[in-house]
Amino acid sequence: MYSDRDVLKFFGGLISLQFIIKICKQLIKEDRPIKSNTYGMPSSRSAFMFFIVSYLILTNKLKNTTIFILLGGALISIYAKFYMEEHSIKQLFFGACIGVGYAYLISMI
């Protein structure tokens, strides 16, 4: 069973990650592959999906099958952004790295 602290830590991680990604986008200012009014580096979707998946893996004793399902779902989700040309592979990769790294930091608090 999860405590209030666990839930708030997860939710706080998601909220603070949103600000981190917005700051990164404003500092890097890398355009998306398609014309857009917003920057693409790093990918928000990739960061959020990999934060969620990584946090769940790091804080729970999951079976390998569950881990593969979570990772597969995250990869399908971010592939859609590449397929629709909303993000480059580089933007998705760096978003995923930020999500994994931040999930690790939050899980250690």
Side-chain angles (χ1 to χ4, degrees), residues 6-62:
D6 295 329
V7 172
L8 291 173
K9 188 165 71 165
F10 175 74
F11 186 68
L14 281 175
I15 297 298
S16 56
L17 179 60
Q18 180 177 356
F19 289 107
I20 291 168
I21 295 299
K22 286 196 179 288
I23 291 167
C24 288
K25 285 181 187 259
Q26 290 302 312
L27 291 174
I28 298 169
K29 297 184 178 184
E30 183 175 300
D31 291 330
R32 295 174 183 266
I34 59 171
K35 188 163 178 66
S36 175
N37 293 330
T38 60
Y39 297 116
M41 175 65 117
S43 164
S44 300
R45 162 105 35 111
S46 186
F48 286 121
M49 290 303 296
F50 277 88
F51 174 85
I52 293 167
V53 168
S54 299
Y55 188 86
L56 290 173
I57 291 169
L58 290 166
T59 59
N60 296 281
K61 294 180 180 178
L62 303 175

